[in-house]
Amino acid sequence: MPALAIILVIVGLVLLFLGIFVEAVKFLLWIGLIILIVGAVMAVLRFIRRKV
């Protein structure tokens, strides 16, 4: 029975860390998406200014 409890604790910790890492990856994904959009807008504005 103690072996089962240890295994459950280890599995619980692994799932907890995976949940934290997945949330961090989601946060970084949103940051990257925002940076990409800002960069695209700046590139379009630079292109428009060069034409005028």
Side-chain angles (χ1 to χ4, degrees):
M1 194 66 173
L4 180 61
I6 293 172
I7 291 172
L8 288 177
V9 168
I10 292 172
V11 168
L13 288 173
V14 168
L15 290 176
L16 176 69
F17 287 131
L18 283 176
I20 291 171
F21 291 140
V22 167
E23 289 301 318
V25 169
K26 285 181 185 177
F27 176 72
L28 291 175
L29 181 65
W30 282 110
I31 295 289
L33 188 62
I34 290 169
I35 291 172
L36 183 66
I37 290 171
V38 169
V41 168
M42 290 178 69
V44 168
L45 288 176
R46 188 180 315 149
F47 181 74
I48 290 173
R49 285 185 187 171
R50 204 178 312 159
K51 287 282 190 176
V52 172

